[in-house]
Amino acid sequence: TTDEFILDEVDSETTFIINNIGVDLRQYSKQVESELQRIEQASIKDYIKESQNIALLHNQITACDSILERMEGMLSGFQSDLSSISSEIQTLQQQSVSMNVRLKNRQAVRSHLSQLVDELVVPGAMISTIMDSPVTEQDFLEQLHELNNKINFAKELSFRETLACSDIQDIVDRLKLKAVSKIREFILQKIYSFRKPMTNYQIPQNTLLKYRFFYQFLLANERTVAKEIRDEYVDTMSKIYYSYFKSYSGRLLKVQYEEVADKDDLMGVEDTSRNTIFTLGQRGTILSPAELEGPILVPHTAQRGDSRYPYEMLFRSQHYALLDNGCREYLFLSDFFMVAGNSALDLFNSIMGKTLSMFLKSMSTYVSDCYDSIAVFLCIHIILRFRAITAKRTIPALDKYWEAVLELLWPRFEMILEMNIHSIRNTDPQKLGVLDTRPHYITRRYAEFSSAIVSINQTFPNERTNNLLGQLLIEVENFVLRMAAEFPSRRDQLIFLINNYDMMLSVLMERAADDSKEVEGFQQLLLARTQEFIEEILCPPFGGMIAFVKEAEALMEKGQLDRLKNEEARITQLVRGFSSTWKQSVESMSQDVMRSFTNFKNGTSIIQGALTQLIQYYHGFHKILNQPTFRSLAVRSELINLHHLMVEVKKHKPNF
C-alpha cells in the first residue's frame, strides 16, 4: 500500500543518514520523540486556539448537510415528477396520433359522403328549370348536363346496391321523363320545319347542331325516343333530297340544247350537219376550278333568258349540288348523331340512297342514247375532279356513287369511240365525192376530236383512252393513205398528204403537249412527205442535173468517175440549161407550191426547203465538175457562182 511504501522510504532514508552521519540511533530516537511531542503540544494549542472556529465550521457543515439533504429530497421529488410527466407526454402523444388518424379518416369519409350527398341531392333549381324552362335556354342545357350526371351516378350506385339511391330514384326518373318529352317535342318540331316549302333546311340543321347534346341525352337514357327521332329525320330528309333533286334535274333538262348528236354523227360519215360535236371549243373551260366549283345553274332564270346549255354543264351543276349537299349532310350526321365509319356511311345512304339511285337511273337513260363523246368524256373528268375534292375533304360518303357513275360513262365513251373508229375504217374514198388536195373534213374532225380528248386527258391520264386514241390514229392514217391513193399523180398525192398532216398537226399543237404521241407521229410523217415532195417538184425543171449529180456521186464513191468523161455534150447542156432557166423555174415552182398548200406558213417552209435542196444539188454539181476528169471542159466557165446563186435565190423566198 501507499503507507507501507512511505515507511519503507523513511526507513531507507534513516538508514542512509545513520550510515553516512554516524549518529547514535537511540539518541536520535529520543530526539525525534521529543520533537514529536513538542509538535503535538503545539498542535493541540492551535486546535484549542481555533476551537470556536472549528465548532462554527462544524455547525455550518451540519447546516449544509441539512440543506443538502432537503435539496436531495426536492430533487428526488422533481425526478419523480419528471418521470411522471414523461409518461404523461408519451400518453398524450399516443392520443394525438390516434386522434389525427381518426380526423383523417373522418375527413376522407366526409369528402366521399359530401360528394355522394352532392351527387344524390336534386336541387330545387334543377327541378324548376327542367320542368318549366324552354329547352332553348342555356340554363336548361346546363341543368340537363347535371341531370345526366345524376342519372349516371344513380345507375352506378344501383350496381353497388347503395340504399341511399332509392331515395332519389323516383324524382330523377320523373325529371328524366320530363326532359325526354320536351327534347323530343323540340327536335321533332325542327325536323317537321324542314318539310315547309321553300325552307332553307340548313338553318334548322345548324340549330340542331347547337343542341347536339339533346340527342346524346336521348341516346343514353331513352333509346326508343332516340331511334324515333333518327328514323323521322332519315325519312324527312330522304324525301326532301329526292324531291329537290328530282325537280332540279327535270328543270335542268329543259334548258339543254335541243339539237344533240345521234348515231349517224360519226367521223366517217360523208356529211353531218353537226361537225361541232368533234370540237372542244369553249366546252373545256368547265373543268377549270372557277367553273367546276362555280354557282350552280338556276333553270328558271336560264329559261327566262332563253339560254341553252350542253349536257356536261347541266351534269356539272347537278353533281356539284349533290357534292355540296352530300358533304354537308355527312358532316351533320357524323356530328349530331355521333356516328363514324360504316355507321355514318349506312346512315348517309339511308338518306341519300333514293336520290343517288334516281341519278344513276336518269343518267343510264341519257347515256344509253348519247353519241356526244366529248360530252361523255367531260362528264367523266368532272366526276374525277369531284372525287378528288371529296377525298381532299376526307368525306367518303359519295365514293361508291362516283365509281358507279364512272362505270356507266367509261363503257359508253369507249363504245362511241369504237363506233367512230369503225366508221373511218369502213369509209370508201370513192363515195366521198370530188377529189380535192385540201385537208379532208374527216381528218379535220379527227384533229379537233383528238386534240380535245388529249388536252382533257392530260390532268388525269387514262391508259384505256390512250389505247383507243392510238387505234383511231391508225385508222385515220390509213384513211389518209387510201384517199391519197385515189389521186392519179404522185405529186397530188403528196400535196394531199402534206395538207392533211399539217392541218392535223396544227390543230393538235394548239391543245396537246408537244411531246404527245400524236404530235410526234404527225411531225415525222409530215417531214418524210415534205422531203419527198421537194424532190418531186425539183425533178421537172432540174431533174437532168439532179440525176447527173446522183450518178456522178455514186461513181465517185467507187472511184469510177472516168466513165463519165465522154459526157461533155450532156454536161454542156445541163450547165447552159440551168443558167438560162433556173430563175423562171424557181419562180414557177414557188407560185405552184403556194397555190397547192392551204397553210401559207407550210407552203413557205416547203419553198425554202426546195431552194435549199436546189443549192445543195448545184453545189454538188460544182464539186463534180471541179474533179480532174472534167477540169478541161470549157463549159465550166459558164457555171453560176455559188455565192451569187444563193443571193439570187434568197430574192425568190416568199415572206409571210
Side-chain angles (χ1 to χ4, degrees):
T1 64
T2 306
D3 292 341
E4 289 175 349
F5 177 75
I6 293 171
L7 288 175
D8 289 340
E9 288 292 321
V10 172
D11 287 343
S12 63
E13 186 179 352
T14 304
T15 302
F16 177 77
I17 294 171
I18 292 171
N19 290 332
N20 287 284
I21 299 176
V23 179
D24 186 4
L25 286 175
R26 286 187 294 271
Q27 185 181 355
Y28 183 72
S29 173
K30 290 178 181 179
Q31 185 182 348
V32 169
E33 186 176 353
S34 171
E35 185 67 27
L36 287 172
Q37 288 176 354
R38 187 184 61 78
I39 292 171
E40 181 181 357
Q41 290 298 320
S43 178
I44 291 170
K45 288 180 182 179
D46 287 337
Y47 274 111
I48 293 170
K49 184 179 176 182
E50 297 292 333
S51 59
Q52 291 183 350
N53 291 333
I54 292 172
L56 181 60
L57 179 60
H58 175 71
N59 291 334
Q60 289 178 346
I61 291 172
T62 302
C64 283
D65 284 342
S66 175
I67 292 169
L68 289 173
E69 186 177 358
R70 288 200 302 274
M71 289 184 67
E72 183 182 6
M74 290 175 62
L75 290 174
S76 297
F78 286 153
Q79 186 177 8
S80 175
D81 291 341
L82 286 174
S83 298
S84 176
I85 289 170
S86 175
S87 172
E88 290 178 2
I89 288 173
Q90 289 179 351
T91 303
L92 289 172
Q93 189 175 8
Q94 292 173 354
Q95 291 176 351
S96 175
V97 171
S98 175
M99 290 175 70
N100 192 36
V101 171
R102 288 200 299 272
L103 177 62
K104 287 182 179 179
N105 290 338
R106 289 180 180 181
Q107 286 177 338
V109 170
R110 179 182 177 184
S111 174
H112 287 296
L113 283 176
S114 176
Q115 183 178 355
L116 178 65
V117 170
D118 288 343
E119 294 289 348
L120 286 174
V121 170
V122 180
M126 177 185 289
I127 296 171
S128 61
T129 301
I130 297 294
M131 297 297 291
D132 302 328
S133 296
V135 296
T136 54
E137 288 190 2
Q138 184 64 26
D139 287 346
F140 182 87
L141 187 59
E142 292 174 358
Q143 292 300 333
L144 189 66
H145 277 280
E146 289 297 322
L147 177 60
N148 191 53
N149 292 336
K150 291 188 183 299
I151 292 171
N152 293 334
F153 190 69
K155 288 179 183 178
E156 184 181 346
L157 291 180
S158 66
F159 291 141
R160 300 178 187 173
E161 299 181 354
T162 305
L163 296 177
C165 178
S166 59
D167 294 340
I168 63 159
Q169 193 65 52
D170 181 57
I171 189 168
V172 167
D173 287 343
R174 283 189 287 171
L175 283 176
K176 181 181 75 172
L177 290 174
K178 182 65 176 178
V180 167
S181 174
K182 293 175 72 171
I183 290 171
R184 174 183 175 278
E185 182 181 356
F186 171 75
I187 295 179
L188 287 178
Q189 282 180 353
K190 289 297 176 187
I191 294 174
Y192 294 152
S193 68
F194 295 168
R195 302 175 181 177
K196 295 177 182 178
M198 306 301 290
T199 297
N200 182 356
Y201 60 86
Q202 294 173 19
I203 295 174
Q205 270 188 343
N206 291 335
T207 303
L208 287 176
L209 284 177
K210 184 179 177 183
Y211 300 105
R212 62 173 65 84
F213 180 72
F214 287 174
Y215 184 78
Q216 183 180 343
F217 180 83
L218 294 178
L219 198 62
N221 299 291
E222 199 62 57
R223 286 186 172 270
T224 306
V225 176
K227 185 178 183 304
E228 177 194 3
I229 286 176
R230 178 167 160 166
D231 292 346
E232 191 65 38
Y233 179 83
V234 168
D235 182 62
T236 299
M237 293 308 296
S238 175
K239 291 177 180 177
I240 288 172
Y241 281 126
Y242 180 78
S243 174
Y244 166 73
F245 279 108
K246 184 178 181 181
S247 172
Y248 184 65
S249 300
R251 290 174 182 170
L252 279 178
L253 291 176
K254 292 179 181 179
V255 295
Q256 183 182 358
Y257 281 134
E258 295 178 0
E259 188 176 351
V260 294
D262 58 33
K263 62 182 179 180
D264 295 324
D265 290 320
L266 301 172
M267 286 187 199
V269 175
E270 180 179 353
D271 184 27
T272 175
S273 58
R274 287 184 285 271
N275 283 317
T276 54
I277 65 167
F278 305 109
T279 306
L280 184 62
Q282 295 300 312
R283 296 169 74 180
T285 57
I286 197 170
L287 298 178
S288 66
E291 289 284 337
L292 192 69
E293 299 183 57
I296 63 173
L297 293 175
V298 182
H300 63 270
T301 304
Q303 282 181 303
R304 280 204 301 267
D306 202 25
S307 300
R308 290 292 182 268
Y309 302 95
Y311 179 76
E312 65 270 11
M313 290 192 70
L314 311 182
F315 182 89
R316 195 281 317 176
S317 187
Q318 182 186 49
H319 282 81
Y320 187 65
L322 174 65
L323 181 148
D324 194 39
N325 285 276
C327 289
R328 187 181 294 107
E329 186 63 31
Y330 181 80
L331 292 174
F332 173 81
L333 294 175
S334 301
D335 200 356
F336 186 77
F337 291 106
M338 298 178 296
V339 288
N342 290 331
S343 298
L345 292 176
D346 291 342
L347 185 58
F348 178 84
N349 288 329
S350 64
I351 292 174
M352 300 296 293
K354 192 176 178 183
T355 301
L356 298 180
S357 298
M358 184 252 308
F359 270 23
L360 290 174
K361 184 178 179 181
S362 171
M363 204 176 311
S364 177
T365 303
Y366 169 79
V367 166
S368 64
D369 196 38
C370 175
Y371 295 91
D372 186 349
S373 52
I374 289 181
V376 175
F377 199 58
L378 284 171
C379 291
I380 288 172
H381 278 264
I382 288 169
I383 292 298
L384 291 174
R385 284 160 173 76
F386 282 168
R387 186 172 66 179
I389 290 172
T390 54
K392 187 177 180 181
R393 296 181 184 179
T394 62
I395 294 177
L398 292 168
D399 287 355
K400 289 186 177 179
Y401 174 74
W402 301 140
E403 293 301 323
V405 174
L406 291 175
E407 287 174 6
L408 275 175
L409 296 175
W410 272 120
R412 188 64 186 182
F413 173 71
E414 292 170 1
M415 193 202 79
I416 299 172
L417 211 51
E418 287 170 356
M419 289 174 66
N420 281 286
I421 291 171
H422 288 302
S423 73
I424 295 174
R425 183 183 302 155
N426 298 329
T427 299
D428 185 356
Q430 295 180 352
K431 295 181 180 179
L432 296 180
V434 181
L435 290 175
D436 192 339
T437 58
R438 290 175 297 182
H440 199 274
Y441 60 82
I442 290 181
T443 57
R444 181 171 293 281
R445 289 174 187 171
Y446 163 76
E448 294 285 354
F449 177 78
S450 182
S451 66
I453 299 302
V454 169
S455 64
I456 295 170
N457 201 44
Q458 286 173 351
T459 309
F460 291 90
N462 181 270
E463 194 60 33
R464 290 188 295 181
T465 305
N466 292 334
N467 292 337
L468 287 169
L469 285 177
Q471 294 178 32
L472 183 62
L473 173 62
I474 291 171
E475 294 303 329
V476 169
E477 289 177 358
N478 292 337
F479 165 76
V480 172
L481 292 175
R482 292 202 309 272
M483 282 296 300
E486 296 296 313
F487 290 92
S489 69
R490 183 58 181 166
R491 179 179 176 281
D492 287 342
Q493 290 177 2
L494 290 172
I495 292 172
F496 177 79
L497 290 173
I498 291 171
N499 274 330
N500 280 276
Y501 291 153
D502 177 62
M503 181 274 298
M504 289 189 283
L505 185 61
S506 299
V507 174
L508 280 168
M509 290 184 69
E510 287 180 8
R511 296 187 181 275
D514 291 344
D515 59 350
S516 68
K517 184 174 68 175
E518 291 79 8
V519 170
E520 290 180 353
F522 283 122
Q523 282 176 334
Q524 293 172 4
L525 289 170
L526 179 62
L527 180 62
R529 299 290 80 80
T530 300
Q531 287 299 118
E532 185 180 351
F533 179 75
I534 287 173
E535 294 291 334
E536 188 73 24
I537 60 174
L538 287 176
C539 192
F542 308 110
M545 181 189 70
I546 293 171
F548 177 79
V549 169
K550 289 181 178 179
E551 182 183 358
E553 286 178 346
L555 291 171
M556 281 175 65
E557 288 181 4
K558 298 176 183 178
Q560 300 174 358
L561 190 61
D562 289 345
R563 292 172 59 179
L564 297 176
K565 63 182 180 180
N566 296 324
E567 298 284 345
E568 181 178 353
R570 178 185 175 190
I571 294 171
T572 302
Q573 182 183 359
L574 291 175
V575 171
R576 290 173 179 171
F578 183 87
S579 299
S580 61
T581 64
W582 78 268
K583 288 185 179 180
Q584 182 182 352
S585 298
V586 166
E587 185 65 33
S588 175
M589 182 178 66
S590 298
Q591 293 176 1
D592 185 37
V593 168
M594 295 311 294
R595 284 194 301 268
S596 299
F597 296 100
T598 54
N599 184 347
F600 287 123
K601 184 178 179 182
N602 185 41
T604 303
S605 175
I606 291 173
I607 293 171
Q608 290 176 349
L611 294 177
T612 301
Q613 189 67 34
L614 176 62
I615 291 172
Q616 288 178 353
Y617 279 130
Y618 199 69
H619 181 243
F621 192 48
H622 264 263
K623 286 175 65 177
I624 292 167
L625 296 185
N626 283 331
Q627 297 298 314
T629 305
F630 305 114
R631 282 180 185 170
S632 59
L633 295 178
V635 76
R636 287 180 67 247
S637 61
E638 297 180 29
L639 285 171
I640 301 172
N641 179 273
L642 195 62
H643 179 71
H644 176 71
L645 178 64
M646 292 173 65
V647 172
E648 289 297 320
V649 162
K650 283 183 179 180
K651 295 178 181 178
H652 291 274
K653 286 184 179 180
N655 295 313
F656 292 100

